[in-house]
Amino acid sequence: MSKWPEIEKKYYMPTFERMPVVLVRGQGARVWDDNGREYLDFVGGLAVNSLGHCHPVVAQALAEQGKTLTQTSNLFYTVPQLQLAELLVKNSCFDKAFFCNSGAEANEGAVKLARRYGKLRLDGAFEVITTFDSFHGRTLAMTAATAKKFQEPYTPMPSGFVNVEWNNLEAIKKATSKQTCAVMLEPIQAEGGVNVPSEDYLKKVREWCDQKGILLILDEIQTGVGRLGSLFGYQLYGVEPDIITLAKGLASGVPIGAFLAKKKADVFKVGEHGTTFGGNPLACAVACAVMKYIIENDVAGNARRVGEYLGSRLADLKAKFGFVVEVRGRGLLWAIEFKKDMAEAVMLGCVEKGLLVNKLKPNAIRLIPPLIITKKDVDEAIGILQEVLGSQGW
Ligand SMILES: Cc1ncc(COP(=O)(O)O)c(C=O)c1O
């Protein structure tokens, strides 16, 4: 092992459970460690590297914009920001966009927008209903919005969030009060276990929000930008939210977050929200190039086709190994759940054989490869998984 884990111990706060790999280079769906060893990357920067690593479109946009203009502050108009807003609005059901730097920040902005809406249109309603096993980010407010397990070290939590059971419309109905301004959900709970809802859940929640006059926020930070096999997850479920949040895949590895709103929820006035770095020319130029490439080359279609193939190969694994209790997912977001807490051992076994996968829970791993992977990549990953799962008397 190299010196870097020791250096980490000395100089870096120990909040991450690291895999025993020091990555130094990437290309497409492959990465290399500091010993020159190659891996097939089914972690993809945690669902970030939509076009894989160092895609020429990303490299070119970075280089060109890096030589032109990287940061000006939002006191000025800048072209890439407005081009990106136009591109996203024209390819979605939304009317306005706002850019920030991360997923958590996008969700904070969306919740602020919903609270503003509550103040202006709902008699001061401010509460947002979210679900257990959700994941909305690590800021204090998003920790309050997120599943309980992240909250305990930091209590007391900011108020204004009510957590209810996932995939249970009645729980949302019961939690709705005069103080409710919005419901915030992921179309598929990603970090919480790749939990796919019943087909009509989102539609029913939409109907309930309409009935009550409250907003529906979809957190598509992980599911958006082609991940589920359509440009946005809401399209799969035939539901249009009032506000959507995006981040991870938007610039394929360059930090950016976004929230978009329909006209109805476009209620911010000058000075009511802001950011220094958010929407800067560098991140927006890369996001523009990535989104154009994704749309023009139907990368979401590739995620759908290769994702269906991955799903069928995972079903084969389930049929072969009795200790695989479930494979679930959509597009290129999948989980394999085991009968026992063996995810760590499976993940390490895969690393040994040149495949990176994510330990999602003690008993589940997650596959979130770049959206540009091929069926051949899937065959290679399944081959390694099969070897690992067949190698021990689990
Ligand atoms: C659905 C969802 N929302 C929000 C976040 C937080 O994003 P970030 O880590 O960029 O703040 C994540 C990150 O995994 C996510 O999956």
Side-chain angles (χ1 to χ4, degrees), residues 102-105 107 135-137 186 190-191 219 221-222 247-248:
S102 68
E105 213 186 313
N107 284 337
F135 185 78
H136 298 297
E186 298 156 81
E191 303 296 315
D219 175 347
I221 280 155
Q222 189 150 163
K248 290 179 178 275

Side-chain angles (χ1 to χ4, degrees), residues 127-132 144-145 148 159-165 171 174-177 179-180 182 184:
E127 239 166 40
V128 176
I129 298 173
T130 63
T131 55
F132 294 130
K148 293 265 184 256
S159 59
F161 296 94
V162 185
N163 307 131
V164 303
E165 196 185 5
K174 234 169 126 188
T176 306
S177 73
Q179 296 193 323
T180 309
M184 180 159 81

Side-chain angles (χ1 to χ4, degrees), residues 20 33 35-36 39 59-60 64 72 75 81 91 102 104 112 118-119 181 187 198 217 222-223 227-228 285 301 308 348:
D33 71 12
N35 293 314
Y39 302 86
Q60 192 184 340
E64 273 175 17
T72 64
L75 296 176
Q81 178 185 99
N91 285 281
S102 68
K112 280 176 79 178
K119 203 157 249 186
C181 66
S198 40
I217 305 171
Q222 189 150 163
T223 57
R227 175 64 50 190
L228 299 185
E308 272 164 17
L348 293 174

Side-chain angles (χ1 to χ4, degrees), residues 37-187:
R37 174 133 200 249
E38 181 180 313
Y39 302 86
L40 177 57
D41 184 8
F42 268 46
V43 177
L46 278 176
V48 165
N49 303 108
S50 45
L51 299 186
H53 297 274
C54 302
H55 193 282
V57 150
V58 173
Q60 192 184 340
L62 270 174
E64 273 175 17
Q65 197 60 43
K67 285 186 283 188
T68 308
L69 188 69
T70 58
Q71 164 73 10
T72 64
S73 95
N74 281 301
L75 296 176
F76 303 94
Y77 296 99
T78 50
V79 177
Q81 178 185 99
L82 302 174
Q83 285 174 329
L84 179 61
E86 185 178 15
L87 185 65
L88 289 172
V89 165
K90 285 190 169 164
N91 285 281
S92 71
C93 67
F94 305 100
D95 297 295
K96 291 281 178 70
F98 187 94
F99 301 122
C100 50
N101 309 287
S102 68
E105 213 186 313
N107 284 337
E108 290 269 345
V111 167
K112 280 176 79 178
L113 193 58
R115 281 200 178 196
R116 198 74 201 104
Y117 184 87
K119 203 157 249 186
L120 294 168
R121 310 271 145 81
L122 298 172
D123 247 355
F126 62 94
E127 239 166 40
V128 176
I129 298 173
T130 63
T131 55
F132 294 130
D133 291 326
S134 63
F135 185 78
H136 298 297
R138 297 282 193 164
T139 58
L140 263 184
M142 286 312 113
T143 302
T146 286
K148 293 265 184 256
K149 69 177 172 184
F150 296 108
Q151 299 179 358
E152 192 279 325
Y154 305 106
T155 49
M157 284 285 110
S159 59
F161 296 94
V162 185
N163 307 131
V164 303
E165 196 185 5
W166 165 245
N167 201 23
N168 180 343
L169 176 69
E170 289 310 312
I172 289 179
K173 285 187 175 177
K174 234 169 126 188
T176 306
S177 73
K178 288 220 168 334
Q179 296 193 323
T180 309
C181 66
V183 175
M184 180 159 81
L185 302 170
E186 298 156 81

